[in-house]
Amino acid sequence: MASDLEEPFHTRLRTATVHAVFLENIETFITQLNSINHINLFVTELKEEDTSCTMYPRPEGSPSQTPSVSGQKKVDVVCDALRKAMESMNPNKFCLSILTAYVKKTVPELEVALQKVHELRENPPAAAGAVSAEEALKYLLFLVNVNDLYEHSLGTYDFDLVLMVAEKSQKDPKEYLPFLNMLKSLEPNYQRYTIDKHLKRYRKALVHLSKSGEEHFTEVLQLVKEQKLFSEALKLYTTDSPQYKRLSSAYAEHLVEQQQAEQAGLLLWRCGLPARALQAFTSCSSWRNAICVAQQIPLPTDQLALLARDLAERLTEQRRYSEAALLLDQYAKDCEEAILALITGAVWEEALRLIYMHNRQDITETNLKPALLEAVNSQTGFLEAQVATFTRHRSRLAVVREQKEKARLDMLDEEGPDCPDAELYSEASSVMTASKYSQSNSRISSRSSKNRRKAERKKLSLKEGSPMEDRALMHALSEIISTVDKMREEIHSLLKSLVLFQFDKQAEKLQLVYEEALQTMEGAVPEVWPEALLNSNTPVTGPNSTANSIMASFQQQQQQKPAASQLDPEIPTAPKMKNGVKWKLTILK
């Protein structure tokens, strides 16, 4: 008796092992019960909770919950294991228990259970004492709502079984007999389609409808469009059939509506609809595919040139100047427009290549050189403006941090180390502010993404005195560094072209301005992103510190394990500069 009392405690400590032992010895469990009623009672009383935890609380410090077996729910695992064991031992004897195991699962497998009843009716077991289809059905009606069972019985396509279920229900024969009689009058595949559609099993309905004959293809198309079953439908027809072409066309229309015109074009192209494929490719600037389709059609030379100009215009709007120039040069046969597109996009070397290829050195004087001088002035002005903004933000950040540090030290000195508020007041105090703003902004989580972005921008305001001004300044400084750092290759290309045409003075100025900008920003990184802010575990000391502030800082060090950047997601990470990219020209001073 003592061992029986000790067993729950042992089970509680080794639940996972007990689960495994139970599943390994499940046939022994069934044999020892030796009662259908007891097995049924055991299955119906199964619960997902771990009773070794709920009935016998765990000691403090032990795991609060044992992981479920194989990541599945306990009820499903036990039901499946019992069912498989009973099917292998004696499926006739344990028929009702097997049905119980299907029905008791977290998602009841009613159709499978009804299919078992259907098999019993089709092939009644010859064994003595075996359960009949009628007995099995009565038992299922005891376990399951009769209306649910009626709907699932339709899914077996066995009308005798449906009638058996309907007769056991409270349904008026006038409700179901006309429907069943109508179904019986239909062609078998169309009959199953009607049933599956009624049960909202649309994929099965599509398969049966596709086998019902060509006269029902209009319904196939309608079902596919309504339920978005395009991929499934294409698998049901041969690629050379007219049905496949019509389905592909409908799928393409759907893809265009979903802003996936390129995929729509691929479908239309492969099923032999090149004109519509060309339209789809053109609409999404998939110019290579568009040109291929146009030449397959084939388009006349003048129409191909017009297509190339249309595509080039779209690409220019997207700042894809090199691709636009290729279309204008190779397909529209307009080298001048191609060169001008490259100049507009600052693709200097490619523009020069086309100039010499087509012997258009006149464009060098009329367009290329003026564009180079305009570009150098524009880039120099842009860099100077970025450096001025960067310097202003950097200075303001130092002021804000100094003010917050002074406020924090004043508070620590005034309240003393035992003040709970002092411990919560962070190194920059904006961790608390961020928490407050996060709580207030949680209310807008259900708003549109546009409103959320607007709220985020408002939270990180550069306005002087705003609660998170320091974080906003850090974000602004990070963006400036990233923008300027990405200009290395662009500046390098411009410098080479300036030197080629002997604009050395302008090139030297640009190189100097850019080098100073990079040095200024790289040198500011340790100041803007100090190690103390990213890992605030260093106690505050110094000439402005008091005994109270130092003591409070040491206490905070013990409690504040995570870095400030982990507690406050508004702190941006320090940008990494691409110092490995060589951009300077040694021939310039």
Side-chain angles (χ1 to χ4, degrees):
M1 187 66 182
S3 62
D4 292 338
L5 293 174
E6 293 173 359
E7 184 61 22
F9 180 74
H10 177 71
T11 303
R12 168 176 83 195
L13 297 178
R14 302 187 62 187
T15 306
T17 305
V18 173
H19 284 173
V21 171
F22 174 78
L23 295 176
E24 290 171 2
N25 296 275
I26 203 157
E27 290 191 8
T28 304
F29 170 77
I30 295 169
T31 303
Q32 289 181 353
L33 276 182
N34 197 28
S35 169
I36 303 301
N37 291 333
H38 289 170
I39 294 173
N40 292 344
L41 182 62
F42 173 80
V43 175
T44 53
E45 290 297 320
L46 277 173
K47 294 181 181 179
E48 197 58 42
E49 66 175 307
D50 185 347
T51 53
S52 67
C53 296
T54 56
M55 293 179 67
Y56 306 96
R58 294 173 178 271
E60 292 185 7
S62 63
S64 59
Q65 184 68 31
T66 302
S68 59
V69 181
S70 303
Q72 295 178 288
K73 294 186 176 181
K74 182 187 77 175
V75 172
D76 291 344
V77 171
V78 174
C79 284
D80 286 340
L82 282 169
R83 175 182 54 78
K84 291 176 182 176
M86 290 185 290
E87 285 176 342
S88 64
M89 293 170 68
N90 192 335
N92 292 327
K93 176 182 176 180
F94 297 111
C95 177
L96 298 184
S97 298
I98 290 170
L99 294 178
T100 308
Y102 278 120
V103 172
K104 181 57 184 176
K105 294 187 71 173
T106 51
V107 179
E109 298 180 356
L110 296 181
E111 288 183 21
V112 183
L114 281 167
Q115 191 61 40
K116 293 288 183 183
V117 178
H118 172 75
E119 292 172 4
L120 288 175
R121 199 178 64 79
E122 291 291 320
N123 301 299
V131 177
S132 67
E134 177 109 8
E135 291 173 321
L137 182 58
K138 284 182 179 179
Y139 181 72
L140 278 179
L141 288 168
F142 171 74
L143 295 176
V144 184
N145 179 280
V146 67
N147 292 320
D148 292 341
L149 203 60
Y150 171 78
E151 292 293 317
H152 283 84
S153 66
L154 280 170
T156 65
Y157 315 116
D158 183 343
F159 291 104
D160 291 337
L161 182 60
V162 175
L163 278 173
M164 287 174 65
V165 175
E167 288 170 356
K168 303 294 182 184
S169 71
Q170 302 299 319
K171 288 180 175 291
D172 187 339
K174 292 180 181 179
E175 294 180 27
Y176 61 83
L177 283 179
F179 179 60
L180 294 181
N181 289 331
M182 181 273 292
L183 290 173
K184 289 180 180 180
S185 67
L186 300 176
E187 183 269 334
N189 280 308
Y190 196 78
Q191 177 192 92
R192 295 191 171 195
Y193 152 72
T194 307
I195 292 172
D196 289 327
K197 188 177 181 183
H198 171 75
L199 297 175
K200 298 183 179 180
R201 303 188 308 190
Y202 297 112
R203 284 178 172 78
K204 285 188 175 182
L206 176 63
V207 172
H208 292 305
L209 186 57
S210 67
K211 298 176 182 178
S212 300
E214 294 182 10
E215 65 273 16
H216 294 294
F217 184 72
T218 303
E219 291 178 80
V220 170
L221 207 54
Q222 183 179 353
L223 178 65
V224 167
K225 289 180 179 179
E226 288 176 354
Q227 303 302 324
K228 309 294 188 295
L229 298 174
F230 299 102
S231 297
E232 293 85 348
L234 288 174
K235 296 174 184 177
L236 301 175
Y237 296 92
T238 58
T239 55
D240 58 348
S241 65
Q243 291 89 347
Y244 189 90
K245 181 178 290 189
R246 290 183 63 185
L247 284 168
S248 295
S249 180
Y251 196 4
E253 290 177 6
H254 171 70
L255 289 171
V256 170
E257 292 173 359
Q258 299 298 313
Q259 308 298 319
Q260 300 182 54
E262 185 174 47
Q263 294 184 52
L266 294 172
L267 274 179
L268 294 166
W269 190 8
R270 77 179 190 181
C271 73
L273 296 171
R276 290 184 57 194
L278 177 59
Q279 184 179 5
F281 287 136
T282 303
S283 69
C284 63
S285 302
S286 181
W287 65 270
R288 290 181 176 85
N289 285 322
I291 292 295
C292 290
V293 174
Q295 292 182 319
Q296 183 190 35
I297 290 177
L299 286 184
T301 304
D302 56 338
Q303 291 187 25
L304 182 62
L306 289 173
L307 173 65
R309 288 184 180 278
D310 180 26
L311 289 168
E313 184 178 351
R314 293 172 183 269
L315 292 171
T316 300
E317 292 173 357
Q318 299 170 26
R319 299 182 180 275
R320 296 163 62 180
Y321 298 103
S322 296
E323 296 165 272
L326 188 150
L327 284 166
L328 291 167
D329 182 40
Q330 294 188 11
Y331 298 98
K333 304 301 181 184
D334 190 337
C335 68
E336 184 173 345
E337 285 296 322
I339 294 168
L340 294 179
L342 292 168
I343 292 174
T344 303
V347 190
W348 311 113
E349 292 182 1
E350 181 64 11
L352 195 61
R353 185 186 72 83
L354 289 189
I355 285 173
Y356 280 94
M357 176 178 168
H358 295 285
N359 196 24
R360 291 298 307 270
Q361 283 82 355
D362 56 305
I363 298 180
T364 302
E365 299 298 328
T366 58
N367 296 92
L368 181 58
K369 288 183 179 180
L372 286 169
L373 293 174
E374 183 181 351
V376 73
N377 290 332
S378 174
Q379 295 286 41
T380 302
F382 175 78
L383 288 169
E384 289 173 346
Q386 290 292 301
V387 171
T389 304
F390 185 87
T391 303
R392 186 170 65 253
H393 287 341
R394 178 183 178 182
S395 301
R396 176 60 188 169
L397 179 61
V399 172
V400 171
R401 286 179 174 171
E402 183 179 354
Q403 291 174 347
K404 290 193 173 185
E405 177 67 7
K406 184 177 183 299
R408 188 182 73 86
L409 292 174
D410 289 345
M411 183 178 182
L412 290 171
D413 191 35
E414 178 181 349
E415 301 293 344
D418 295 329
C419 175
D421 291 337
E423 295 179 1
L424 295 175
Y425 207 92
S426 70
E427 184 272 342
S429 84
S430 55
V431 171
M432 291 196 308
T433 310
S435 175
K436 179 182 71 175
Y437 270 76
S438 297
Q439 291 174 4
S440 65
N441 280 329
S442 65
R443 302 189 191 98
I444 65 169
S445 60
S446 60
R447 297 180 188 174
S448 67
S449 58
K450 181 179 179 181
N451 288 341
R452 284 199 298 271
R453 289 194 297 270
K454 185 177 180 181
E456 289 296 324
R457 287 195 298 270
K458 183 181 292 186
K459 183 169 65 174
L460 290 176
S461 173
L462 287 170
K463 183 179 178 180
E464 288 193 11
S466 64
M468 300 190 69
E469 184 185 358
D470 54 343
R471 296 328 186 221
L473 288 167
M474 292 177 71
H475 275 283
L477 290 167
S478 177
E479 289 176 3
I480 293 174
I481 292 175
S482 298
T483 299
V484 173
D485 191 54
K486 290 177 182 177
M487 296 173 62
R488 293 174 188 261
E489 294 180 359
E490 186 179 351
I491 295 294
H492 181 65
S493 175
L494 179 55
L495 289 174
K496 289 192 294 183
S497 297
L498 288 169
V499 167
L500 177 64
F501 293 105
Q502 297 184 344
F503 295 129
D504 291 18
K505 185 177 180 181
Q506 292 88 340
E508 287 174 0
K509 181 181 179 182
L510 176 61
Q511 180 163 293
L512 179 62
V513 169
Y514 189 55
E515 184 176 20
E516 289 177 349
L518 290 176
Q519 289 176 351
T520 299
M521 294 175 187
E522 187 174 7
V525 169
E527 175 189 331
V528 178
W529 288 272
E531 197 64 26
L533 182 62
L534 295 178
N535 188 12
S536 52
N537 286 328
T538 304
V540 177
T541 57
N544 295 325
S545 301
T546 64
N548 286 339
S549 67
I550 295 173
M551 188 178 299
S553 180
F554 272 110
Q555 290 181 352
Q556 186 177 4
Q557 177 187 0
Q558 298 301 318
Q559 297 175 1
Q560 189 176 354
K561 297 298 182 182
S565 59
Q566 294 174 328
L567 293 174
D568 185 2
E570 300 300 339
I571 299 179
T573 57
K576 294 182 180 180
M577 303 187 72
K578 302 177 181 177
N579 294 324
V581 177
K582 304 299 181 183
W583 63 273
K584 292 178 66 176
L585 298 185
T586 56
I587 58 178
L588 295 174
K589 294 181 181 178

